């Protein structure tokens, strides 16, 4: 009997330990740290509560950083260094250095408070926060306001923000509902439906309709018209105004607030809320948001260093903030043509910055968010069909910092926030090249060709380049090459020949006497060239030096190598570029440069430099527009609030995607050409789970045996058990599943993968 009890006791202990161990296993979402890249000018992210691609991004607007907007801080409305908040708003646009100043703070804000409202407070509602209480995880944000001792907790669904405010016992629970970002809002209208519901309209872009539910009844209310408080609960088209709701002493019971949002109608806002956020269980919504994030992130599983996992999964997390789904749950969305449209069988996405993110983020989506990518392409089709103009093109004078290429409706109308559309064709064609395009290409092709001819007009065909713009000449050659591949596939040989000819216009801006791209006048004469090509003077090139633009050919690297005199001199110059700290990790122009060694027969140098950029401190001399006053020696990617280098904007997740792809040992040099360059991963094992809806539903495993800080050079490889001696792999080989195994070592094997 005693022995039996002992055995049972031991079994019970083992089961308890087993459950505890299982519960302690971290999911991909548990590695996410939303505070990474939220401090100062180091990524420009915010820790708002949201779900993948959700329209609602509910978070704190901090003071004073979010007020300046046009400075170096809080482009997202949040700065980790601040200790004061202005409220908790529902729309944030993080990561972009190039977005409008008016987008750099949140819109539709709630400020909880208990003290008596004064004119000073209502003009500029501020609350000091207890920084030690601040918490954030994927889909959740919390902080305590010191003065009134209020715990604020936030979570979200795609179209609904949910707040939970716990007020101190014995103090009144009050909320100030206001526009938030005045620079991006023309007016606010709110009306009380009953003692637990409000309905309103925020005049911004096409307009935001909102429906509010409170878990407790409103006891009294007042309005603020920007100058004084008035009795009543109706706000009618007031700028810099809002509504004050008083719920009395809740005796410690939390006040839950739900705000449903729609760009279409009040009914849409209410329907979105009812469908996504029924009931008052805040923790359930928070847990569901976390699970949605985990479902997305777990499509890429990595094993290895925990610090790298934190950076990796936070990077993936950041790539899914933008673009956003702006269609209601019934598919309704506002089009560029001022009409309401319905997305049938897909979600309509908006808010893009393609010049930045086409290089990295969409190739990443093809591996871990192909369902979203497919819907994005359909949304771009909608933009093509509904757009009225793309000012300032086709008559742009191609200034380096002129207005970017941007599709819009009449008179520049945009239904929602957006940044820029250059290279939209490459995003569409990359999806097409990977089987993520279930549209009629013959119907879409005319739009692709039109975009290409708008950005590099036919008037330049007689000279074969854009005057004074070697950078844009090169870039638009990429577009022409991509569209040419489509023309060929649909049997349009005439367009194929024409576009392929245009794809070689970059050759006309290459000065063979100095072996750099160089600006030319319309008459063909060479324009001035800096004495030091390392200078970033931005006279003829956008945000980059002549050294950085030297590698500006994505679609025809072999021909670029020939311009240097062959592989050996090309590798020599590229090594000099890295050895002398001429590479800028903080901007987009040369992000592909570390992988060009692969294409020149020296993949061990790609392995060396990618590993250094991912894991080691390196010297960085360049900010966005010029040299740093003093070179920076630091890691490019870190786990701290200053997660990126100074002045390094994430730009809609572009830099996050660069990290994620490179950390897996894969990089696509030319979107539209579905080939990934291979380099050393920084994880022991990576599993890419193919989506059965868009792929074979099988897993592709990358394994790096004996990987360590010293062993980061590939010695040999096998693919599905067979010797593999190439430094590239096709997208289709990954999607159909398999196993790529590397043997790693401390010294380069210069024979492996060399062309």
């Amino acid at each position: 009997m005693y022995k039996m009890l002992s055995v049972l006791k031991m079994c019970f202990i083992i089961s308890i330990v087993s459950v505890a161990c299982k519960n302690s296993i971290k999911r991909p979402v548990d590695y996410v740290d939303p505070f990474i890249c939220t401090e100062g000018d180091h990524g420009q992210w915010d820790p708002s509560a949201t779900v993948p691609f959700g329209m609602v991004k509910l978070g704190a607007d901090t003071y004073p950083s979010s007020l300046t907007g046009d400075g170096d801080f809080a482009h997202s409305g949040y700065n980790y260094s601040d200790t004061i908040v202005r409220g908790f708003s529902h729309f944030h646009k993080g990561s972009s250095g190039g977005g409008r100043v008016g987008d750099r703070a949140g819109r539709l804000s709630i400020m909880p408070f208990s003290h008596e409202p004064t004119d000073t407070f209502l003009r500029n509602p501020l609350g000091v926060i207890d920084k030690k209480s601040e918490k954030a995880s994927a889909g959740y944000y919390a902080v305590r306001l010191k003065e009134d001792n209020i715990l604020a907790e936030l979570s979200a669904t795609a179209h609904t923000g949910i707040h939970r405010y716990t007020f101190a016992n014995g103090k009144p629970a009050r909320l100030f509902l206001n526009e938030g970002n005045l620079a991006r809002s023309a007016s606010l209208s709110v009306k009380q439906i009953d003692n637990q519901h409000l309905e309103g309209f925020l005049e911004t872009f096409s307009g935001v309709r909102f429906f509010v539910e409170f878990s407790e009844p409103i006891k009294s209310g007042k309005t603020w018209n920007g100058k004084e408080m008035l009795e009543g609960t109706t706000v009618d088209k007031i700028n810099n105004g809002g509504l004050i709701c008083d719920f009395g002493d809740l005796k410690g019971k939390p006040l839950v607030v739900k705000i449903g949002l729609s760009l279409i109608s009040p009914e849409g806002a209410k329907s979105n809320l009812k469908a996504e956020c029924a009931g008052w269980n805040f923790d359930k919504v928070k847990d569901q948001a976390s699970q949605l994030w985990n479902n997305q992130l777990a499509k890429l599983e990595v094993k290895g260093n925990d610090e790298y996992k934190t950076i990796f999964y936070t990077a993936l997390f950041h790539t899914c903030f933008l673009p956003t789904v702006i269609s209601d749950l019934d598919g309704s969305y506002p089009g560029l043509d001022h009409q309401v449209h319905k997305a049938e069988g897909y979600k309509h996405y908006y808010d893009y910055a393609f010049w930045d993110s086409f290089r990295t983020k969409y190739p990443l989506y093809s591996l871990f968010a192909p369902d979203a990518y497919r819907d994005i392409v359909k949304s771009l089709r909608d933009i093509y069909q509904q757009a009225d103009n793309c000012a300032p093109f086709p008559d742009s004078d191609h200034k380096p910092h002129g207005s970017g290429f941007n599709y819009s409706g009449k008179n520049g109308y945009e239904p929602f926030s957006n940044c820029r559309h250059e290279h939209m064709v490459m995003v569409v064609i990359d999806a097409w090249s990977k089987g993520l395009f279930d549209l009629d290409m013959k119907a879409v092709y005319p739009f692709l060709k039109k975009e290409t001819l708008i950005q590099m007009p036919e008037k330049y065909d007689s000279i074969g380049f854009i005057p004074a713009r070697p950078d844009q000449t090169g870039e638009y050659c990429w577009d022409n090459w991509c569209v040419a591949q489509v023309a060929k596939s649909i049997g349009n040989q005439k367009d194929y020949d024409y576009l392929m000819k245009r794809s070689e216009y970059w050759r006309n801006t290459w000065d063979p006497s100095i072996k750099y791209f160089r600006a030319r006048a319309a008459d063909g004469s060479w324009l001035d060239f800096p004495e030091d090509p390392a200078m970033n003077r931005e006279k003829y090139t956008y945000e980059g030096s002549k050294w950085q633009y030297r590698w500006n050919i994505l679609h025809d690297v072999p021909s670029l190598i020939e311009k240097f005199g062959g592989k050996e001199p090309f590798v020599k110059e590229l090594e000099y570029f890295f050895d002398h700290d001429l590479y800028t990790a903080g901007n987009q122009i040369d992000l592909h440069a570390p992988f060009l060694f692969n294409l020149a027969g020296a993949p061990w140098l790609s392995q060396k430099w990618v590993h250094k950029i991912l894991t080691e401190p390196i010297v960085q001399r360049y900010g966005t527009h010029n040299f740093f006053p003093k070179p920076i020696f630091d890691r490019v990617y870190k786990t701290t609030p200053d997660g990126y280098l100074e002045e390094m904007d994430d730009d809609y997740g572009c830099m996050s995607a660069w990290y994620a792809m490179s950390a897996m040992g894969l990089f696509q040099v030319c979107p539209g050409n579905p080939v990934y360059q291979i380099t050393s991963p920084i994880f022991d094992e990576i599993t890419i789970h193919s989506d059965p809806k868009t792929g074979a539903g099988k897993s592709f495993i990358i394994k790096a045996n004996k990987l360590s800080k010293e062993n980061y050079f590939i010695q040999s490889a096998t693919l599905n058990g067979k010797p593999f001696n190439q430094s590239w792999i096709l997208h289709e080989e990954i999607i159909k599943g398999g196993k790529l195994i590397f043997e790693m070592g401390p010294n380069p094997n210069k024979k492996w993968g060399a062309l």
Side-chain angles (χ1 to χ4, degrees):
M1 183 70 177
Y2 177 76
K3 281 186 177 180
M4 186 179 290
L5 287 172
S6 297
V7 170
L8 289 171
K9 187 176 180 182
M10 183 60 68
C11 289
F12 177 74
I13 291 170
I14 290 170
S15 68
I16 292 294
V17 171
S18 176
V19 170
C21 288
K22 188 176 280 188
N23 290 339
S24 68
I25 295 173
K26 291 178 76 171
R27 304 171 299 161
V29 72
D30 299 324
Y31 287 96
V32 172
D33 182 352
F35 289 120
I36 292 175
C37 292
T38 62
E39 183 175 64
D41 194 8
H42 295 270
Q44 302 291 0
W45 278 115
D46 57 284
S48 296
T50 189
V51 295
F53 307 107
M55 183 168 71
V56 173
K57 293 169 177 61
L58 177 56
D61 289 303
T62 65
Y63 178 87
S65 299
S66 67
L67 279 180
T68 56
D70 57 352
D72 291 332
F73 309 115
H75 290 193
S76 67
Y78 177 94
N79 182 0
Y80 186 82
S81 297
D82 287 337
T83 56
I84 298 173
V85 298
R86 300 167 54 214
F88 304 101
S89 56
H90 292 75
F91 297 95
H92 287 88
K93 181 176 179 175
S95 82
S96 176
R100 301 175 181 92
V101 172
D103 290 333
R104 295 177 182 179
R107 299 186 294 283
L108 192 59
S109 177
I110 286 182
M111 184 65 174
F113 66 101
S114 292
H115 58 269
E116 287 298 321
T118 64
D119 290 359
T120 301
F121 172 76
L122 295 173
R123 285 193 186 94
N124 189 20
L126 299 176
V128 177
I129 60 172
D130 176 5
K131 199 68 182 172
K132 292 180 182 177
S133 72
E134 193 176 33
K135 297 177 183 176
S137 58
Y140 176 72
Y141 174 85
V143 72
R144 186 174 293 278
L145 278 68
K146 274 187 174 180
E147 183 182 352
D148 289 332
N149 191 23
I150 301 167
L151 175 62
E153 297 176 276
L154 312 173
S155 191
T157 67
H159 301 85
T160 303
I162 183 167
H163 312 234
R164 181 166 67 186
Y165 298 114
T166 306
F167 294 82
N169 231 326
K171 289 188 176 182
R174 293 172 172 147
L175 301 177
F176 180 38
L177 173 66
N178 61 87
E179 292 163 274
N181 182 350
L182 297 176
R184 182 48 77 191
S185 172
S187 70
L188 176 71
S189 299
V190 188
K191 67 177 180 180
Q192 183 176 350
I193 298 171
D194 55 42
N195 64 3
Q196 284 186 259
H197 297 91
L198 304 173
E199 188 177 276
F201 177 80
L202 182 68
E203 192 177 351
T204 177
F205 295 105
S206 64
V208 174
R209 290 79 176 168
F210 58 92
F211 182 80
V212 187
E213 284 191 336
F214 300 110
S215 61
E216 303 298 324
I218 301 170
K219 295 292 177 63
S220 64
K222 292 184 178 180
T223 63
W224 168 253
N225 66 7
K227 296 178 181 178
E228 59 181 341
M229 276 188 291
L230 302 170
E231 295 296 327
T233 54
T234 299
V235 176
D236 187 20
K237 293 185 179 179
I238 292 177
N239 185 237
N240 197 19
L243 178 65
I244 303 139
C245 298
D246 193 325
F247 299 86
D249 180 7
L250 299 179
K251 304 186 186 306
K253 185 179 180 182
L255 173 65
V256 178
V257 184
K258 299 185 295 184
I259 302 187
L261 300 160
S262 169
L263 303 187
I264 300 300
S265 67
E267 295 76 22
K270 185 176 181 179
S271 296
N272 290 339
L273 186 153
K274 296 293 184 185
E276 293 181 346
C277 203
W280 298 102
N281 191 333
F282 178 92
D283 290 326
K284 181 181 178 182
V285 176
K286 170 190 165 187
D287 292 345
Q288 287 174 340
S290 177
Q291 189 58 52
L292 282 173
W293 277 113
N294 195 64
N295 294 345
Q296 184 66 62
L297 303 178
K299 292 178 181 179
L300 298 177
E301 291 189 67
V302 294
K303 296 179 182 177
N305 182 294
D306 269 9
E307 182 194 19
Y308 298 164
K309 283 185 185 179
T310 295
I311 302 172
F312 179 80
Y313 281 117
T314 304
L316 289 183
F317 168 74
H318 281 148
T319 66
C320 296
F321 269 53
L322 297 160
T324 59
V325 175
I326 67 167
S327 52
D328 284 349
L329 289 175
D330 70 355
S332 300
Y333 70 91
L336 288 174
D337 56 1
H338 293 262
Q339 302 298 310
V340 174
H341 296 266
K342 186 162 281 194
E344 301 283 359
Y346 67 101
K347 299 173 183 176
H348 183 83
Y349 288 72
Y350 199 74
D351 198 357
Y352 302 102
F354 290 127
W355 187 86
D356 312 88
S357 59
F358 87 94
R359 308 158 195 265
T360 58
K361 190 169 72 168
Y362 294 92
L364 176 65
Y365 283 175
S366 68
L367 295 177
F368 104 111
D371 51 342
Y373 194 1
R374 189 166 56 182
D375 283 1
I376 286 167
V377 168
K378 291 178 180 175
S379 305
L380 301 185
R381 180 270 319 270
D382 297 336
I383 289 174
Y384 281 134
Q385 291 177 339
Q386 298 160 14
D388 178 76
N389 69 71
C390 34
F393 292 80
D395 299 317
S396 170
D397 54 5
H398 295 274
K399 291 179 181 177
H401 278 281
S403 299
F405 179 74
N406 192 36
Y407 282 106
S408 62
K410 288 182 180 178
N411 303 314
Y413 168 79
E414 293 177 297
F416 199 60
S417 179
N418 183 61
C419 189
R420 57 197 303 176
H421 285 140
E422 295 100 329
H423 307 303
M424 194 158 102
V425 292
M426 295 184 76
V427 173
V428 174
I429 294 168
D430 193 48
W432 167 79
S433 74
K434 295 172 178 175
L436 298 173
F437 189 91
D438 53 359
L439 300 171
D440 179 3
M441 180 50 90
K442 286 188 176 181
V444 175
Y445 172 75
F447 296 109
L448 305 178
K449 181 183 176 183
K450 179 182 176 182
E451 179 182 328
T452 303
L453 296 180
I454 284 173
Q455 292 191 85
M456 188 159 69
E458 293 162 284
K459 65 184 180 182
Y460 297 131
D461 288 345
S462 61
I463 58 175
F465 58 89
I466 300 173
R469 305 294 336 170
D471 55 348
Q472 290 186 6
T473 299
E475 287 190 20
Y476 297 142
C477 286
W478 315 335
D479 291 351
N480 277 268
W481 183 87
C482 282
V483 179
Q485 310 316 304
V486 176
K488 186 176 183 179
S489 77
I490 62 174
N492 192 333
Q493 187 66 36
K494 182 180 177 182
D495 275 6
Y496 172 75
D497 293 339
Y498 173 59
L499 294 166
M500 285 300 289
K501 179 182 177 183
R502 285 166 57 89
S503 76
E504 296 192 353
Y505 284 176
W506 63 271
R507 296 172 182 271
N508 301 324
T509 62
W510 179 263
D511 185 346
S513 68
I514 57 174
K515 289 187 169 60
Y516 283 89
F517 289 107
R518 184 174 177 181
R520 301 181 81 167
D523 64 7
S525 59
W526 293 111
L527 297 175
D528 57 290
F529 191 82
E531 287 185 23
D532 181 4
M535 291 171 55
N536 181 6
R537 61 180 186 169
E538 295 195 275
K539 188 173 182 181
Y540 303 123
T541 49
Y542 177 65
E543 292 187 355
S545 72
K546 302 301 178 281
W547 260 108
Q548 289 151 10
Y549 270 99
R550 210 176 181 196
W551 326 105
N552 194 39
I553 300 304
L554 306 184
H555 64 295
D556 193 5
V557 177
S559 293
L560 178 64
I561 291 171
E562 287 177 13
K563 290 292 183 184
F564 280 82
K567 291 180 180 179
E568 190 174 329
F570 180 86
V571 168
K572 182 180 178 182
E573 291 294 295
L574 192 56
E575 268 199 286
Y576 183 95
F577 177 68
F578 283 98
D579 287 339
H580 290 79
D581 309 317
L582 298 169
Y583 171 74
T584 174
N587 212 341
Q588 282 78 23
I589 299 124
D590 55 2
L591 287 179
H592 62 294
F595 299 91
L596 295 182
F597 290 112
N598 273 18
L599 292 156
W604 66 91
L605 290 172
S606 286
Q607 295 158 33
K608 170 187 172 180
W609 284 106
V610 172
H611 185 271
K612 284 178 74 73
I613 295 164
L614 288 170
T615 66
E616 299 176 21
I618 62 172
V619 174
Q620 284 287 282
R621 298 170 63 191
Y622 295 93
T624 303
H625 301 291
N626 214 324
F627 290 117
F628 286 122
K630 235 174 130 180
I632 293 172
F633 181 68
D634 197 2
R635 286 201 24 207
V636 179
Y637 297 91
K638 304 186 290 292
T639 58
T640 49
D642 62 336
Y644 289 171
L645 294 170
E646 187 178 345
E647 290 192 30
M648 181 176 168
D649 303 324
D650 199 6
D651 283 332
Y652 280 58
C654 173
M655 302 307 193
S656 288
W658 189 94
Y659 181 92
M661 292 294 290
S662 302
M664 294 191 293
L666 300 170
F667 191 84
Q668 187 175 349
V669 169
C670 183
N673 184 13
V675 178
Y676 301 98
Q677 297 304 310
I678 293 172
T679 191
S680 307
I682 62 171
F683 295 109
D684 299 318
E685 188 173 313
I686 302 114
T687 302
I688 301 169
H689 295 290
S690 174
D691 190 326
K693 291 180 291 186
T694 56
K698 297 180 180 178
S699 296
F700 187 82
I701 297 169
I702 301 170
K703 197 169 183 181
N705 291 330
K706 300 179 184 176
L707 177 69
S708 68
K709 285 187 177 180
E710 297 77 25
N711 294 355
Y712 57 83
F713 287 106
I714 298 171
Q715 306 299 300
S716 62
T718 60
L719 177 63
N720 300 326
K722 297 179 181 179
F724 187 76
N725 191 32
Q726 63 188 48
S727 59
W728 54 272
I729 189 168
L730 296 173
H731 177 80
E732 64 184 42
E733 292 181 277
I734 293 175
I735 296 307
K736 69 184 180 184
K739 187 174 284 189
L740 177 61
I741 299 178
F742 299 117
E743 300 299 327
M744 311 300 291
N747 300 307
N749 175 3
K750 296 185 180 181
K751 291 183 179 179
W752 184 86
L755 300 175

